[in-house]
Structures are given as C-alpha cells and as structure tokens.
Amino acid sequence: MAPRTALFALFGVILVAMLAVTVTASLQQPLWDWGGLTSGPDRWWTYATLADAYFGFLTFYAWVFYKEPGAAARGGWFAAIMLLGNIAMAVYVLLQLARLPKGAPLSQLLLRRSDA
C-alpha cells in the first residue's frame, strides 16, 4: 500500500472511530454530567478518553514509523508508545533532538536522516 493511501486509511479510521465513540458517549451521558474524580466512574467518557489517547499515540507512531528504517526499532517504539504513552513519546523526541546536529534547522527533526 502506498504511504499516502495508508495515511488516508489510518486517519479516516481514526476520524470515524472518534466520531462514533464521542457520539455514543454523548448519547449515554452528556459531557456536563461527567463527575470526574468526584463521583463513581463514568464509563462512556472513560472509553472516549482512552480512545482519544490511544489514537493520539497512533498518530505520533505514524511519524515514528516514517522516521525509523528498521522493523526492530519500529516494533520496539510501537510497544513502548502503546505501553508508556507520552513518556515514551517524550523520550523519542528527546533522542531525536539530541541526534540533531548543532545549528541544523528543526525541519530536519521531522524528516528521515536520508531525507534531510
């Protein structure tokens, strides 16, 4: 599958899934009735929040997948991001920043080394 097609598919699925989970949660419980930490668990908005977080992790991972050339690195970072979330994401960005040559434009941070 071409990268552009894969990205369209990924983000199309994310959009549809997030719309579905948000509409479902809204129909079950209005957002303004959410009790947060002051009352029992509000499962519908918990589902919506978890879906939002993990789709955010997948969005970040799409960039990692582009940046990393090897299957082992891609797999390792996927596992780390899905298990540790923003902790792994922060580590990845810090490593990328540390590898960026002094004085290099930040645009190089976003690109593969061979594309820079």
Side-chain angles (χ1 to χ4, degrees):
M1 180 182 301
R4 181 181 169 114
T5 304
L7 288 173
F8 265 108
L10 173 65
F11 290 107
V13 167
I14 289 173
L15 176 61
V16 170
M18 280 307 303
L19 288 171
V21 75
T22 302
V23 168
T24 300
S26 297
L27 292 173
Q28 298 298 320
Q29 175 188 22
L31 181 58
W32 52 86
D33 285 345
W34 180 66
L37 299 175
T38 62
S39 65
D42 297 314
R43 105 182 138 153
W44 296 104
W45 286 107
T46 300
Y47 295 157
T49 301
L50 283 171
D52 191 43
Y54 277 91
F55 286 138
F57 300 162
L58 282 174
T59 297
F60 183 86
Y61 179 72
W63 173 57
V64 173
F65 186 89
Y66 161 76
K67 288 269 297 179
E68 295 298 327
R74 287 175 173 174
W77 281 111
F78 179 80
I81 291 166
M82 291 302 132
L83 293 172
L84 300 173
N86 288 309
I87 295 169
M89 292 162 58
V91 168
Y92 187 82
V93 172
L94 288 170
L95 288 172
Q96 296 304 307
L97 285 168
R99 292 178 183 154
L100 194 63
K102 187 171 180 136
L106 284 179
S107 60
Q108 284 187 9
L109 177 75
L110 300 174
L111 302 175
R112 289 182 188 142
R113 283 199 196 114
S114 62
D115 294 345

